[in-house]
Amino acid sequence: MLNLIRMNFYRMSHSVSTWVILITMVVFMGLTVVTNCVLMKNLVNSDGTMKIESSESITEESTTTENTAEMVAEAYGHKITINSRFQAGVQGGDLLIFLAIFTVIFVHAEEKNGFIKNIACRTKHKWDIFLAKLPVIACYTLVCILLYFVLNTVIMKIWFPHFELGIEAKTFVIFGLELLLYFGYMALCSMLIVVSKNSAIGMTFSLIPIFGIGMIVIKLLNFLIKHDVDLNKYTLIGNLASISTESANSDLVRALIVAVVWFVIWIAISMLTTEKRDVI
């Protein structure tokens, strides 16, 4: 198993797709942060508090700015911090897109080039081939999130030097839960590509929930069930989008349980599929 893990880390570090996805993610997320800073420049004071104009001073030209300021204030409270913008980026789904693409490509690479046939006969269980990829995916996910944190912090400090970092004790709990929910979603992406053995199918169904189509399905199911149950509370994306430092402890516990349960389910399906499949 350790040799397989080392081999996968070597394969990841020497793969062109790994660096292309990473560089593209950094450029895209950096531009996103810069764009947000430009939009917020006229909406916030130097300390992060919102600039809400009085009703007498609102002109036709400033109406859009006023509405945007109110929406931003409602979403992040009346004081924006660097961490609140980081949390918004993590929960927004942009990072998930790049990580889902990497996961699908990385997991399917051995199937695509036939190299899996050379290592399957050397393992006691064929599911070891799949399990050995999980530390690599987890490491890549953590690196991408930390890179985004550094990128967001540096850019926002340049634009807004007086903004507070906004990190408190509960922030680390939220970050840990977000990381677990990310791992759960990467497990889903891995399961889709393992079961389908088709990169197009795996990529498509990995990205669909991120783009909001999954939310539409959940709302339809909620309507059909017609009970006082919100299924969105039991999905990875739903919990990722809803948790914050203001969340109740019960909501955080629910997010933890959802992340662990779905992670175990997707990994179990992938392991069983890999074990039963004839790769020789």
Side-chain angles (χ1 to χ4, degrees):
M1 175 65 79
L2 290 178
N3 288 333
L4 284 175
I5 294 175
R6 283 196 293 265
M7 180 196 71
N8 281 312
F9 270 106
Y10 179 87
R11 184 164 63 89
M12 178 197 68
S13 61
H14 289 75
S15 174
V16 175
S17 62
T18 298
W19 297 105
V20 169
I21 294 172
L22 187 64
I23 294 172
T24 305
M25 184 274 295
V26 169
V27 172
F28 178 84
M29 298 305 295
L31 290 174
T32 301
V33 176
V34 170
T35 302
N36 288 332
C37 288
V38 172
L39 293 175
M40 288 192 302
K41 191 68 175 178
N42 297 323
L43 303 179
V44 296
N45 298 308
S46 60
D47 62 349
T49 54
M50 303 303 303
K51 290 180 181 178
I52 304 297
E53 301 177 17
S54 62
S55 57
E56 292 115 3
S57 63
I58 297 177
T59 63
E60 182 178 350
E61 182 179 353
S62 65
T63 301
T64 302
T65 301
E66 176 73 13
N67 293 337
T68 305
E70 289 177 351
M71 287 188 292
V72 173
E74 182 180 356
Y76 304 108
H78 292 283
K79 187 170 184 178
I80 298 176
T81 63
I82 293 176
N83 181 61
S84 68
R85 296 304 305 160
F86 166 71
Q87 295 296 332
V90 171
Q91 297 176 353
D94 293 338
L95 273 175
L96 273 178
I97 295 174
F98 293 100
L99 290 170
I101 293 172
F102 166 78
T103 300
V104 170
I105 293 175
F106 183 77
V107 173
H108 189 58
E110 291 170 348
E111 294 275 358
K112 188 175 180 180
N113 59 30
F115 184 67
I116 190 172
K117 297 180 181 179
N118 297 327
I119 61 176
C121 59
R122 303 180 184 180
T123 59
K124 183 177 181 180
H125 298 287
K126 284 184 286 187
W127 63 45
D128 289 344
I129 301 172
F130 171 76
L131 290 179
K133 299 174 185 177
L134 297 182
V136 179
I137 296 172
C139 180
Y140 193 83
T141 300
L142 180 60
V143 167
C144 286
I145 294 178
L146 291 178
L147 271 177
Y148 174 59
F149 175 79
V150 173
L151 195 66
N152 178 78
T153 302
V154 171
I155 294 176
M156 290 202 68
K157 271 297 183 182
I158 293 174
W159 280 82
F160 305 103
H162 301 292
F163 266 30
E164 296 178 2
L165 194 56
I167 293 180
E168 53 190 73
K170 202 171 182 179
T171 302
F172 296 99
V173 176
I174 300 300
F175 179 77
L177 288 174
E178 290 170 342
L179 198 58
L180 288 176
L181 290 166
Y182 264 67
F183 289 162
Y185 197 82
M186 294 309 106
L188 169 62
C189 298
S190 302
M191 184 275 295
L192 289 171
I193 191 63
V194 167
V195 172
S196 66
K197 293 187 66 175
N198 185 291
S199 57
I201 295 176
M203 191 78 72
T204 300
F205 285 95
S206 294
L207 296 178
I208 278 178
I210 303 175
F211 292 131
I213 300 178
M215 188 73 68
I216 297 174
V217 175
I218 293 296
K219 288 183 178 179
L220 178 60
L221 291 175
N222 284 334
F223 175 77
L224 294 176
I225 294 175
K226 294 182 178 179
H227 287 289
D228 191 19
V229 177
D230 184 7
L231 296 178
N232 197 47
K233 293 181 178 180
Y234 306 101
T235 66
L236 295 167
I237 297 294
N239 281 274
L240 181 63
S242 64
I243 59 173
S244 68
T245 52
E246 298 180 358
S247 298
N249 290 334
S250 58
D251 294 330
L252 300 181
V253 172
R254 186 192 66 238
L256 173 62
I257 295 174
V258 167
V260 173
V261 168
W262 282 121
F263 179 84
V264 171
I265 290 175
W266 302 138
I267 295 302
I269 294 174
S270 299
M271 290 174 60
L272 292 174
T273 303
T274 304
E275 186 67 22
K276 293 183 178 180
R277 180 171 293 159
D278 185 10
V279 297
I280 306 300

